[in-house]
Amino acid sequence: MSGQVRGVQLARLLGQWHALPGRRRSPDYAALAAAVRGLLADARLPLGVRLPAERELAEALRISRTTVTAAYRELRETGHLASRRGAGSWTMLPANHRVASTGLWTPVDDRDMIDLGVAALAAPPQLLDAARAATEDLPRYLGGAGYHPTGIIELREAVADGYTARGLPTSADQIMVTSGTQHALDLVLRLALPPGGSVLVESPTYPNALAALSGRRARITTHGLSVDAGGWEPDLLLGSLRQTRPKLAYLIPEFQNPTGHLMPAALREQVAAVAHAVGTDLIVDESFVDLPLGGTELPPPVAAFDRHSRVVSIGGMSKPYWGGLRIGWVRASAPQVQRLAAVRVGVDMSSPVLDQLVAVHLLADAATIVAERRVQLAAQRDALLGALAHRLPDWRVNVPRGGVTLWAELDGPVSSALARAAEEVGVRLAPGPRFGLDGTLERFLRLPFTLPAADLVEAVGRLAAVRYDLDRAGRQRWREPAVIA
Protein backbone atom coordinates (compact mmCIF):
# COMPACT_ATOMS: atom_id res chain seq x y z
CA MET A 1 0.00 0.00 0.00
CA SER A 2 1.32 3.47 -0.89
CA GLY A 3 1.57 6.57 1.30
CA GLN A 4 -2.11 7.34 0.83
CA VAL A 5 -5.13 5.08 0.98
CA ARG A 6 -8.14 6.03 -1.12
CA GLY A 7 -11.70 5.91 0.08
CA VAL A 8 -12.66 2.84 -1.93
CA GLN A 9 -9.55 0.99 -0.70
CA LEU A 10 -10.30 1.73 2.94
CA ALA A 11 -13.94 0.78 2.44
CA ARG A 12 -12.85 -2.66 1.15
CA LEU A 13 -10.55 -3.15 4.13
CA LEU A 14 -13.24 -2.13 6.59
CA GLY A 15 -15.67 -4.70 5.23
CA GLN A 16 -18.76 -5.15 7.41
CA TRP A 17 -17.71 -2.66 10.08
CA HIS A 18 -21.26 -1.32 10.43
CA ALA A 19 -22.81 -4.75 10.98
CA LEU A 20 -20.87 -5.73 14.08
CA PRO A 21 -22.82 -6.82 17.20
CA GLY A 22 -23.55 -4.02 19.62
CA ARG A 23 -24.08 -1.50 16.83
CA ARG A 24 -27.49 -0.44 18.13
CA ARG A 25 -26.02 0.29 21.52
CA SER A 26 -23.18 2.51 20.28
CA PRO A 27 -23.02 5.22 17.61
CA ASP A 28 -21.87 4.44 14.06
CA TYR A 29 -18.88 6.75 14.43
CA ALA A 30 -17.63 4.64 17.38
CA ALA A 31 -18.00 1.45 15.35
CA LEU A 32 -16.12 3.02 12.43
CA ALA A 33 -13.30 4.24 14.67
CA ALA A 34 -13.04 0.82 16.31
CA ALA A 35 -12.82 -0.87 12.92
CA VAL A 36 -9.98 1.42 11.83
CA ARG A 37 -8.14 0.69 15.09
CA GLY A 38 -8.55 -3.01 14.38
CA LEU A 39 -7.01 -2.62 10.93
CA LEU A 40 -4.05 -0.84 12.47
CA ALA A 41 -3.63 -3.39 15.25
CA ASP A 42 -3.37 -6.37 12.90
CA ALA A 43 -1.27 -4.56 10.26
CA ARG A 44 -3.84 -4.55 7.47
CA LEU A 45 -3.62 -0.75 7.52
CA PRO A 46 0.01 0.44 7.74
CA LEU A 47 1.27 3.19 9.97
CA GLY A 48 2.11 6.56 8.48
CA VAL A 49 -0.34 6.45 5.57
CA ARG A 50 -2.71 9.30 4.87
CA LEU A 51 -6.36 8.41 5.22
CA PRO A 52 -8.91 9.63 2.68
CA ALA A 53 -10.60 12.97 3.18
CA GLU A 54 -13.75 12.85 5.27
CA ARG A 55 -16.03 13.52 2.31
CA GLU A 56 -14.31 10.87 0.15
CA LEU A 57 -14.61 8.18 2.81
CA ALA A 58 -18.21 9.12 3.53
CA GLU A 59 -19.06 8.67 -0.15
CA ALA A 60 -17.22 5.33 -0.32
CA LEU A 61 -19.03 4.01 2.77
CA ARG A 62 -22.35 5.65 1.84
CA ILE A 63 -22.68 7.29 5.23
CA SER A 64 -22.87 10.89 6.37
CA ARG A 65 -19.76 13.03 6.52
CA THR A 66 -20.66 13.85 10.12
CA THR A 67 -20.14 10.19 11.06
CA VAL A 68 -16.68 10.13 9.47
CA THR A 69 -15.74 13.44 11.11
CA ALA A 70 -16.69 12.07 14.52
CA ALA A 71 -14.80 8.81 13.88
CA TYR A 72 -11.66 10.69 12.89
CA ARG A 73 -11.98 12.84 16.01
CA GLU A 74 -12.18 9.74 18.20
CA LEU A 75 -9.15 8.24 16.46
CA ARG A 76 -7.18 11.40 17.22
CA GLU A 77 -8.28 11.23 20.85
CA THR A 78 -7.12 7.61 21.20
CA GLY A 79 -3.75 8.34 19.59
CA HIS A 80 -4.41 6.45 16.35
CA LEU A 81 -4.57 9.45 14.01
CA ALA A 82 -2.57 12.64 13.59
CA SER A 83 -4.14 15.51 11.63
CA ARG A 84 -2.93 18.84 10.34
CA ARG A 85 -5.35 21.39 8.96
CA GLY A 86 -5.16 21.58 5.20
CA ALA A 87 -2.73 18.63 4.96
CA GLY A 88 -4.77 15.57 5.97
CA SER A 89 -4.68 12.82 8.60
CA TRP A 90 -2.09 10.07 9.06
CA THR A 91 -2.32 6.75 10.87
CA MET A 92 -0.29 6.19 14.03
CA LEU A 93 -0.41 4.18 17.25
CA PRO A 94 -0.11 5.17 20.91
CA ALA A 95 3.45 5.22 22.26
CA ASN A 96 2.83 2.23 24.55
CA HIS A 97 2.78 -0.19 21.60
CA ARG A 98 5.53 -2.25 20.01
CA VAL A 99 6.01 -4.74 17.18
CA ALA A 100 5.33 -8.31 18.37
CA SER A 101 6.73 -11.54 16.95
CA THR A 102 3.77 -11.73 14.59
CA GLY A 103 4.65 -8.38 13.03
CA LEU A 104 1.53 -6.88 14.61
CA TRP A 105 1.47 -3.78 16.81
CA THR A 106 0.71 -4.74 20.40
CA PRO A 107 0.74 -3.08 23.84
CA VAL A 108 4.04 -3.24 25.71
CA ASP A 109 2.40 -4.35 28.98
CA ASP A 110 1.36 -7.79 27.72
CA ARG A 111 3.37 -10.19 29.85
CA ASP A 112 0.24 -12.03 30.99
CA MET A 113 -1.19 -12.21 27.49
CA ILE A 114 -2.25 -15.59 26.12
CA ASP A 115 -0.92 -15.21 22.60
CA LEU A 116 -2.96 -17.14 20.04
CA GLY A 117 -1.59 -15.01 17.24
CA VAL A 118 1.57 -17.11 16.91
CA ALA A 119 1.34 -20.64 15.51
CA ALA A 120 4.67 -21.95 16.77
CA LEU A 121 5.96 -24.14 19.58
CA ALA A 122 8.50 -23.43 22.30
CA ALA A 123 11.93 -25.00 21.84
CA PRO A 124 12.31 -28.75 22.44
CA PRO A 125 14.54 -29.85 25.35
CA GLN A 126 17.00 -31.43 22.89
CA LEU A 127 17.95 -27.98 21.57
CA LEU A 128 20.53 -27.33 24.29
CA ASP A 129 22.37 -30.59 23.63
CA ALA A 130 22.33 -29.84 19.90
CA ALA A 131 23.77 -26.39 20.54
CA ARG A 132 26.58 -27.81 22.69
CA ALA A 133 27.43 -30.39 20.03
CA ALA A 134 27.38 -27.67 17.36
CA THR A 135 29.99 -25.61 19.23
CA GLU A 136 32.26 -28.65 19.27
CA ASP A 137 31.88 -28.96 15.48
CA LEU A 138 32.44 -25.27 14.82
CA PRO A 139 36.28 -25.16 14.94
CA ARG A 140 36.65 -26.98 11.64
CA TYR A 141 34.87 -24.08 9.94
CA LEU A 142 36.76 -21.27 11.60
CA GLY A 143 39.67 -21.40 9.18
CA GLY A 144 37.48 -20.20 6.32
CA ALA A 145 35.52 -17.03 5.64
CA GLY A 146 32.27 -18.62 6.83
CA TYR A 147 30.24 -17.72 3.73
CA HIS A 148 28.25 -20.64 2.31
CA PRO A 149 25.56 -19.20 0.01
CA THR A 150 23.86 -22.56 -0.51
CA GLY A 151 24.55 -23.82 3.03
CA ILE A 152 27.08 -26.14 4.64
CA ILE A 153 27.28 -29.55 3.05
CA GLU A 154 26.27 -31.51 6.20
CA LEU A 155 22.95 -29.68 6.46
CA ARG A 156 22.18 -29.84 2.74
CA GLU A 157 22.79 -33.59 2.80
CA ALA A 158 20.55 -34.02 5.86
CA VAL A 159 17.71 -32.07 4.24
CA ALA A 160 18.16 -33.97 0.96
CA ASP A 161 17.99 -37.27 2.86
CA GLY A 162 14.68 -36.16 4.34
CA TYR A 163 13.18 -35.63 0.90
CA THR A 164 14.56 -38.96 -0.32
CA ALA A 165 12.95 -40.71 2.64
CA ARG A 166 9.61 -39.20 1.58
CA GLY A 167 9.92 -40.81 -1.83
CA LEU A 168 11.48 -37.86 -3.66
CA PRO A 169 15.11 -38.65 -4.54
CA THR A 170 17.13 -35.51 -3.84
CA SER A 171 20.82 -34.62 -3.83
CA ALA A 172 22.58 -31.95 -1.79
CA ASP A 173 23.03 -29.91 -5.00
CA GLN A 174 19.24 -29.47 -5.07
CA ILE A 175 19.11 -27.90 -1.61
CA MET A 176 19.77 -24.31 -0.60
CA VAL A 177 19.78 -23.42 3.09
CA THR A 178 18.11 -20.13 4.01
CA SER A 179 17.44 -18.04 7.11
CA GLY A 180 13.96 -19.45 7.64
CA THR A 181 11.08 -20.41 5.37
CA GLN A 182 9.99 -16.80 4.86
CA HIS A 183 13.48 -15.99 3.62
CA ALA A 184 13.27 -18.96 1.25
CA LEU A 185 10.01 -17.58 -0.16
CA ASP A 186 11.49 -14.12 -0.57
CA LEU A 187 14.49 -15.44 -2.51
CA VAL A 188 12.32 -17.54 -4.81
CA LEU A 189 10.11 -14.53 -5.53
CA ARG A 190 13.16 -12.37 -6.27
CA LEU A 191 14.31 -14.92 -8.81
CA ALA A 192 11.04 -16.03 -10.38
CA LEU A 193 8.59 -13.13 -10.12
CA PRO A 194 9.07 -9.83 -11.93
CA PRO A 195 7.48 -6.79 -10.29
CA GLY A 196 3.78 -6.81 -11.11
CA GLY A 197 3.79 -10.51 -12.02
CA SER A 198 0.66 -12.58 -11.46
CA VAL A 199 0.40 -15.05 -8.58
CA LEU A 200 -2.40 -17.44 -7.64
CA VAL A 201 -2.82 -18.13 -3.91
CA GLU A 202 -5.25 -20.01 -1.72
CA SER A 203 -7.87 -18.18 0.29
CA PRO A 204 -7.33 -18.14 3.20
CA THR A 205 -3.55 -18.30 3.19
CA TYR A 206 -0.46 -17.42 5.22
CA PRO A 207 -0.42 -13.64 5.90
CA ASN A 208 3.35 -13.26 5.65
CA ALA A 209 3.26 -14.85 2.20
CA LEU A 210 0.76 -12.18 1.16
CA ALA A 211 3.10 -9.56 2.60
CA ALA A 212 6.02 -10.95 0.59
CA LEU A 213 3.93 -10.93 -2.58
CA SER A 214 2.79 -7.38 -1.93
CA GLY A 215 6.43 -6.40 -1.52
CA ARG A 216 7.03 -7.64 -5.06
CA ARG A 217 3.96 -5.68 -6.22
CA ALA A 218 2.44 -8.96 -7.40
CA ARG A 219 -1.00 -9.13 -8.99
CA ILE A 220 -2.65 -11.60 -6.63
CA THR A 221 -5.64 -13.75 -7.53
CA THR A 222 -7.21 -16.28 -5.19
CA HIS A 223 -9.09 -19.55 -5.25
CA GLY A 224 -11.17 -20.34 -2.20
CA LEU A 225 -10.85 -23.23 0.21
CA SER A 226 -13.99 -24.65 1.74
CA VAL A 227 -14.33 -24.96 5.49
CA ASP A 228 -15.14 -28.65 5.02
CA ALA A 229 -12.54 -31.37 5.41
CA GLY A 230 -11.94 -31.50 1.64
CA GLY A 231 -10.56 -27.99 1.47
CA TRP A 232 -9.59 -27.60 -2.18
CA GLU A 233 -12.27 -27.85 -4.85
CA PRO A 234 -10.34 -29.51 -7.71
CA ASP A 235 -12.38 -27.93 -10.49
CA LEU A 236 -11.98 -24.48 -8.95
CA LEU A 237 -8.25 -24.78 -8.36
CA LEU A 238 -7.43 -26.31 -11.74
CA GLY A 239 -9.84 -23.97 -13.51
CA SER A 240 -8.19 -20.96 -11.86
CA LEU A 241 -4.79 -22.12 -13.12
CA ARG A 242 -6.10 -22.61 -16.65
CA GLN A 243 -8.01 -19.32 -16.78
CA THR A 244 -5.54 -16.94 -15.14
CA ARG A 245 -2.30 -18.63 -16.29
CA PRO A 246 -0.33 -16.99 -13.47
CA LYS A 247 3.42 -16.69 -13.44
CA LEU A 248 3.49 -18.41 -10.04
CA ALA A 249 1.13 -20.26 -7.73
CA TYR A 250 1.78 -20.44 -3.97
CA LEU A 251 0.30 -23.52 -2.28
CA ILE A 252 0.45 -25.08 1.20
CA PRO A 253 -0.62 -28.70 0.56
CA GLU A 254 0.42 -30.18 3.93
CA PHE A 255 -1.90 -29.05 6.72
CA GLN A 256 -2.59 -25.75 5.07
CA ASN A 257 -2.09 -22.59 7.10
CA PRO A 258 -4.61 -21.65 8.49
CA THR A 259 -7.22 -24.33 7.62
CA GLY A 260 -5.21 -27.48 8.39
CA HIS A 261 -6.32 -29.19 5.15
CA LEU A 262 -4.21 -31.94 3.53
CA MET A 263 -4.21 -32.04 -0.26
CA PRO A 264 -4.86 -35.54 -1.67
CA ALA A 265 -2.36 -37.22 -3.95
CA ALA A 266 -4.61 -37.18 -7.03
CA LEU A 267 -5.01 -33.40 -6.86
CA ARG A 268 -1.27 -32.91 -6.37
CA GLU A 269 -0.63 -34.81 -9.58
CA GLN A 270 -3.27 -32.80 -11.45
CA VAL A 271 -1.92 -29.48 -10.18
CA ALA A 272 1.60 -30.33 -11.35
CA ALA A 273 0.33 -31.37 -14.78
CA VAL A 274 -1.87 -28.31 -15.30
CA ALA A 275 0.86 -25.97 -14.04
CA HIS A 276 3.22 -27.32 -16.70
CA ALA A 277 0.55 -27.05 -19.39
CA VAL A 278 -0.17 -23.37 -18.67
CA GLY A 279 3.42 -22.31 -17.91
CA THR A 280 3.00 -21.72 -14.16
CA ASP A 281 5.73 -22.38 -11.63
CA LEU A 282 4.59 -23.77 -8.27
CA ILE A 283 5.96 -22.65 -4.91
CA VAL A 284 5.04 -25.39 -2.45
CA ASP A 285 5.31 -24.43 1.22
CA GLU A 286 5.99 -27.55 3.30
CA SER A 287 6.34 -25.86 6.69
CA PHE A 288 4.04 -28.37 8.44
CA VAL A 289 4.97 -31.57 6.61
CA ASP A 290 6.62 -33.10 9.69
CA LEU A 291 3.49 -32.78 11.82
CA PRO A 292 0.83 -35.34 10.81
CA LEU A 293 -1.26 -36.33 13.83
CA GLY A 294 -3.13 -39.47 14.75
CA GLY A 295 -1.30 -41.73 12.32
CA THR A 296 -2.25 -39.66 9.26
CA GLU A 297 -0.41 -40.88 6.17
CA LEU A 298 1.12 -38.23 3.95
CA PRO A 299 0.69 -38.26 0.16
CA PRO A 300 3.81 -37.98 -1.98
CA PRO A 301 5.33 -34.48 -2.21
CA VAL A 302 3.96 -32.31 -5.03
CA ALA A 303 7.48 -32.27 -6.50
CA ALA A 304 7.25 -36.06 -6.92
CA PHE A 305 4.81 -35.43 -9.78
CA ASP A 306 6.99 -32.75 -11.38
CA ARG A 307 8.75 -33.74 -14.60
CA HIS A 308 9.69 -30.29 -15.86
CA SER A 309 11.28 -28.43 -12.90
CA ARG A 310 8.08 -26.46 -12.33
CA VAL A 311 7.93 -27.12 -8.58
CA VAL A 312 10.06 -25.31 -6.02
CA SER A 313 9.58 -26.62 -2.48
CA ILE A 314 10.32 -24.55 0.61
CA GLY A 315 10.43 -25.65 4.24
CA GLY A 316 12.27 -25.16 7.50
CA MET A 317 12.83 -25.84 11.18
CA SER A 318 10.41 -23.31 12.67
CA LYS A 319 7.29 -25.44 13.13
CA PRO A 320 8.58 -28.89 14.16
CA TYR A 321 11.59 -27.54 16.06
CA TRP A 322 11.86 -23.85 17.04
CA GLY A 323 11.18 -20.51 15.39
CA GLY A 324 14.23 -18.97 17.04
CA LEU A 325 16.44 -21.25 14.97
CA ARG A 326 16.29 -19.38 11.69
CA ILE A 327 16.92 -22.29 9.34
CA GLY A 328 14.91 -22.92 6.20
CA TRP A 329 15.59 -24.34 2.78
CA VAL A 330 14.66 -24.48 -0.88
CA ARG A 331 14.44 -27.73 -2.82
CA ALA A 332 14.68 -27.20 -6.59
CA SER A 333 16.73 -28.33 -9.57
CA ALA A 334 20.48 -27.88 -9.21
CA PRO A 335 20.62 -25.05 -11.82
CA GLN A 336 17.80 -23.24 -10.01
CA VAL A 337 19.67 -23.52 -6.72
CA GLN A 338 22.73 -21.94 -8.29
CA ARG A 339 20.65 -19.07 -9.66
CA LEU A 340 19.09 -18.60 -6.22
CA ALA A 341 22.57 -18.46 -4.69
CA ALA A 342 23.54 -15.70 -7.13
CA VAL A 343 20.44 -13.75 -6.12
CA ARG A 344 21.12 -14.36 -2.45
CA VAL A 345 24.61 -12.83 -2.50
CA GLY A 346 22.99 -9.44 -3.00
CA VAL A 347 20.75 -9.96 0.04
CA ASP A 348 22.53 -11.64 2.98
CA MET A 349 25.43 -13.78 1.69
CA SER A 350 24.63 -16.90 3.74
CA SER A 351 23.05 -18.34 6.88
CA PRO A 352 25.02 -18.51 10.17
CA VAL A 353 27.27 -21.56 10.29
CA LEU A 354 26.63 -22.22 13.99
CA ASP A 355 22.84 -22.26 13.48
CA GLN A 356 23.28 -24.69 10.60
CA LEU A 357 25.37 -27.01 12.77
CA VAL A 358 22.66 -26.93 15.44
CA ALA A 359 20.14 -27.88 12.76
CA VAL A 360 22.29 -30.82 11.66
CA HIS A 361 22.23 -32.27 15.17
CA LEU A 362 18.49 -31.70 15.59
CA LEU A 363 17.76 -33.44 12.29
CA ALA A 364 19.94 -36.35 13.38
CA ASP A 365 17.57 -36.74 16.35
CA ALA A 366 14.45 -35.99 14.29
CA ALA A 367 12.71 -39.31 14.95
CA THR A 368 12.61 -38.68 18.70
CA ILE A 369 11.96 -34.93 18.62
CA VAL A 370 9.20 -34.99 16.02
CA ALA A 371 7.47 -37.97 17.63
CA GLU A 372 7.31 -36.07 20.92
CA ARG A 373 6.01 -32.98 19.13
CA ARG A 374 3.21 -34.95 17.53
CA VAL A 375 2.08 -36.40 20.86
CA GLN A 376 2.19 -32.94 22.43
CA LEU A 377 0.25 -31.30 19.60
CA ALA A 378 -2.40 -34.01 19.46
CA ALA A 379 -3.14 -33.58 23.17
CA GLN A 380 -3.27 -29.78 22.88
CA ARG A 381 -5.47 -29.97 19.78
CA ASP A 382 -7.94 -32.21 21.58
CA ALA A 383 -7.98 -29.92 24.61
CA LEU A 384 -8.74 -26.93 22.41
CA LEU A 385 -11.47 -28.79 20.53
CA GLY A 386 -13.05 -29.90 23.79
CA ALA A 387 -13.04 -26.39 25.21
CA LEU A 388 -14.60 -24.97 22.05
CA ALA A 389 -17.31 -27.64 21.99
CA HIS A 390 -18.15 -26.89 25.62
CA ARG A 391 -17.96 -23.09 25.68
CA LEU A 392 -18.61 -22.06 22.06
CA PRO A 393 -20.73 -24.85 20.57
CA ASP A 394 -22.09 -22.65 17.77
CA TRP A 395 -18.65 -22.34 16.22
CA ARG A 396 -17.95 -24.79 13.42
CA VAL A 397 -14.53 -26.44 13.50
CA ASN A 398 -13.17 -29.39 11.54
CA VAL A 399 -10.58 -31.60 13.19
CA PRO A 400 -7.24 -31.12 11.39
CA ARG A 401 -5.22 -34.26 10.78
CA GLY A 402 -1.96 -32.43 11.34
CA GLY A 403 -0.27 -29.08 11.61
CA VAL A 404 -0.76 -26.66 14.47
CA THR A 405 -3.95 -24.68 13.75
CA LEU A 406 -7.74 -24.85 13.82
CA TRP A 407 -9.78 -22.73 11.40
CA ALA A 408 -13.03 -21.87 13.17
CA GLU A 409 -16.16 -20.61 11.45
CA LEU A 410 -17.81 -18.24 13.91
CA ASP A 411 -21.48 -17.61 14.54
CA GLY A 412 -21.34 -14.23 12.84
CA PRO A 413 -19.01 -11.82 10.99
CA VAL A 414 -17.32 -10.76 14.21
CA SER A 415 -13.71 -11.88 13.88
CA SER A 416 -12.10 -8.43 14.02
CA ALA A 417 -14.45 -7.20 16.73
CA LEU A 418 -13.74 -10.32 18.77
CA ALA A 419 -9.99 -9.83 18.39
CA ARG A 420 -10.24 -6.23 19.61
CA ALA A 421 -12.36 -7.22 22.60
CA ALA A 422 -10.21 -10.27 23.42
CA GLU A 423 -7.11 -8.08 23.69
CA GLU A 424 -8.74 -6.33 26.63
CA VAL A 425 -9.11 -9.62 28.54
CA GLY A 426 -5.60 -10.87 27.84
CA VAL A 427 -6.00 -12.99 24.71
CA ARG A 428 -4.30 -12.09 21.45
CA LEU A 429 -5.92 -13.35 18.24
CA ALA A 430 -5.20 -13.27 14.53
CA PRO A 431 -8.62 -12.47 13.02
CA GLY A 432 -9.81 -14.06 9.80
CA PRO A 433 -9.22 -11.04 7.54
CA ARG A 434 -5.49 -11.31 8.24
CA PHE A 435 -5.51 -14.45 6.07
CA GLY A 436 -7.25 -12.99 3.03
CA LEU A 437 -7.55 -9.92 0.86
CA ASP A 438 -9.70 -6.80 1.14
CA GLY A 439 -11.25 -7.38 4.55
CA THR A 440 -13.01 -10.67 3.83
CA LEU A 441 -13.17 -13.76 6.12
CA GLU A 442 -14.83 -11.94 9.03
CA ARG A 443 -16.67 -15.14 9.93
CA PHE A 444 -13.43 -17.03 10.56
CA LEU A 445 -10.69 -17.19 13.15
CA ARG A 446 -7.38 -19.08 13.30
CA LEU A 447 -6.71 -20.79 16.62
CA PRO A 448 -3.30 -22.45 17.01
CA PHE A 449 -2.89 -25.27 19.51
CA THR A 450 0.80 -24.65 20.24
CA LEU A 451 0.35 -23.47 23.84
CA PRO A 452 -0.09 -25.72 26.90
CA ALA A 453 -3.57 -27.23 27.22
CA ALA A 454 -4.36 -25.22 30.37
CA ASP A 455 -3.65 -21.96 28.55
CA LEU A 456 -5.83 -22.99 25.63
CA VAL A 457 -8.76 -23.86 27.88
CA GLU A 458 -8.38 -20.58 29.77
CA ALA A 459 -8.23 -18.62 26.49
CA VAL A 460 -11.43 -20.23 25.22
CA GLY A 461 -13.16 -19.36 28.47
CA ARG A 462 -12.20 -15.72 28.06
CA LEU A 463 -13.27 -15.75 24.42
CA ALA A 464 -16.64 -17.21 25.34
CA ALA A 465 -17.24 -14.40 27.83
CA VAL A 466 -16.15 -11.78 25.32
CA ARG A 467 -18.32 -13.26 22.59
CA TYR A 468 -21.32 -13.15 24.91
CA ASP A 469 -20.59 -9.54 25.82
CA LEU A 470 -20.16 -8.45 22.19
CA ASP A 471 -23.89 -8.61 21.66
CA ARG A 472 -24.45 -6.40 24.67
CA ALA A 473 -21.39 -4.19 24.75
CA GLY A 474 -21.46 -0.49 24.38
CA ARG A 475 -18.51 1.62 23.45
CA GLN A 476 -15.16 -0.06 24.10
CA ARG A 477 -12.58 1.45 26.38
CA TRP A 478 -9.06 2.07 25.05
CA ARG A 479 -5.79 2.64 26.80
CA GLU A 480 -4.69 6.16 27.65
CA PRO A 481 -3.65 7.80 24.35
CA ALA A 482 -0.24 9.29 23.73
CA VAL A 483 1.00 11.27 20.75
CA ILE A 484 3.99 9.97 18.79
CA ALA A 485 5.90 11.65 16.00
Side-chain angles (χ1 to χ4, degrees):
M1 189 174 294
S2 64
Q4 180 175 2
V5 59
R6 307 304 305 175
V8 291
Q9 292 175 302
L10 184 54
R12 284 199 303 269
L13 289 172
L14 288 167
Q16 302 184 49
W17 66 272
H18 56 286
L20 297 177
R23 173 181 177 272
R24 296 180 180 177
R25 296 171 178 81
S26 62
D28 275 353
Y29 77 85
L32 177 57
V36 173
R37 282 192 291 260
L39 293 177
L40 284 167
D42 65 19
R44 281 178 283 151
L45 184 63
L47 298 178
V49 298
R50 192 169 74 176
L51 293 188
E54 294 170 0
R55 185 183 302 278
E56 180 185 352
L57 183 57
E59 292 176 353
L61 294 176
R62 298 182 180 179
I63 59 177
S64 72
R65 182 178 176 180
T66 303
T67 299
V68 177
T69 300
Y72 278 18
R73 181 175 62 248
E74 178 168 322
L75 289 168
R76 286 191 292 270
E77 291 173 353
T78 57
H80 294 81
L81 201 64
S83 300
R84 190 167 69 246
R85 186 179 297 276
S89 300
W90 289 265
T91 55
M92 56 188 293
L93 280 181
N96 61 343
H97 282 63
R98 64 175 175 82
V99 181
S101 59
T102 56
L104 310 184
W105 290 87
T106 59
V108 296
D109 53 345
D110 61 352
R111 294 180 181 177
D112 297 326
M113 184 74 65
I114 300 176
D115 193 348
L116 297 183
V118 177
L121 293 158
Q126 294 90 343
L127 180 62
L128 286 177
D129 288 339
R132 294 188 187 101
T135 59
E136 296 176 0
D137 293 339
L138 185 60
R140 69 174 182 267
Y141 282 92
L142 298 181
Y147 297 129
H148 303 270
T150 59
I152 63 173
I153 185 62
E154 295 101 316
L155 183 53
R156 288 189 288 126
E157 288 177 343
V159 174
D161 289 346
Y163 279 103
T164 301
R166 291 171 55 202
L168 180 62
T170 303
S171 67
D173 291 340
Q174 293 177 269
I175 301 298
M176 176 180 183
V177 178
T178 64
S179 299
T181 310
Q182 186 72 11
H183 181 222
L185 175 60
D186 178 75
L187 290 175
V188 173
L189 294 179
R190 287 173 183 266
L191 176 67
L193 185 68
S198 59
V199 181
L200 179 69
V201 303
E202 299 150 335
S203 179
T205 192
Y206 180 47
N208 290 341
L210 293 175
L213 292 170
S214 297
R216 294 295 298 170
R217 302 195 300 277
R219 291 184 290 110
I220 303 173
T221 57
T222 63
H223 63 92
L225 297 181
S226 70
V227 72
D228 297 319
W232 296 267
E233 295 289 344
D235 291 342
L236 179 59
L237 172 56
L238 301 176
S240 296
L241 283 170
R242 293 187 181 104
Q243 292 166 17
T244 61
R245 294 177 173 264
K247 173 65 176 173
L248 297 175
Y250 170 78
L251 304 174
I252 312 175
E254 282 88 20
F255 314 117
Q256 199 262 355
N257 186 5
T259 65
H261 293 316
L262 178 64
M263 183 181 288
L267 183 55
R268 295 170 185 236
E269 184 174 12
Q270 290 175 304
V271 167
V274 172
H276 171 63
V278 301
T280 296
D281 292 327
L282 300 178
I283 302 176
V284 176
D285 189 336
E286 299 181 319
S287 295
F288 301 94
V289 72
D290 292 316
L291 299 175
L293 305 179
T296 297
E297 293 188 9
L298 289 176
V302 175
F305 302 104
D306 178 31
R307 303 291 182 268
H308 308 281
S309 298
R310 287 286 182 188
V311 177
V312 175
S313 304
I314 60 176
M317 307 285 287
S318 295
K319 301 307 179 183
Y321 298 93
W322 188 46
L325 185 66
R326 301 309 304 150
I327 294 294
W329 50 75
V330 178
R331 191 255 180 215
S333 68
Q336 285 174 311
V337 167
Q338 292 304 311
R339 289 196 293 271
L340 282 168
V343 170
R344 186 204 188 133
V345 169
V347 179
D348 73 339
M349 303 295 289
S350 66
S351 298
V353 170
L354 184 58
D355 286 17
Q356 294 183 68
L357 290 171
V358 173
V360 169
H361 286 280
L362 287 174
L363 290 176
D365 199 17
T368 299
I369 297 173
V370 173
E372 292 173 354
R373 292 302 217 188
R374 292 173 182 171
V375 171
Q376 174 188 357
L377 285 169
Q380 291 170 185
R381 177 198 62 185
D382 293 345
L384 179 57
L385 286 167
L388 289 170
H390 176 61
R391 300 300 303 272
L392 292 161
D394 292 334
W395 290 12
R396 180 185 175 195
V397 182
N398 282 297
V399 181
R401 293 185 289 159
V404 300
T405 62
L406 303 179
W407 185 240
E409 182 177 4
L410 312 183
D411 54 346
V414 298
S415 185
S416 294
L418 184 66
R420 294 193 296 269
E423 188 91 13
E424 297 299 317
V425 296
V427 179
R428 179 167 300 126
L429 300 173
R434 281 271 297 157
F435 302 87
L437 300 172
D438 298 332
T440 59
L441 302 173
E442 277 288 1
R443 293 186 64 90
F444 297 91
L445 182 68
R446 188 188 75 171
L447 296 170
F449 42 91
T450 49
L451 295 179
D455 289 345
L456 296 173
V457 172
E458 173 64 22
V460 172
R462 297 183 193 180
L463 290 181
V466 166
R467 178 66 190 97
Y468 178 83
D469 290 341
L470 269 184
D471 293 326
R472 294 154 181 80
R475 182 171 170 177
Q476 293 192 36
R477 295 172 298 176
W478 295 88
R479 292 177 173 83
E480 187 69 23
V483 178
I484 59 175

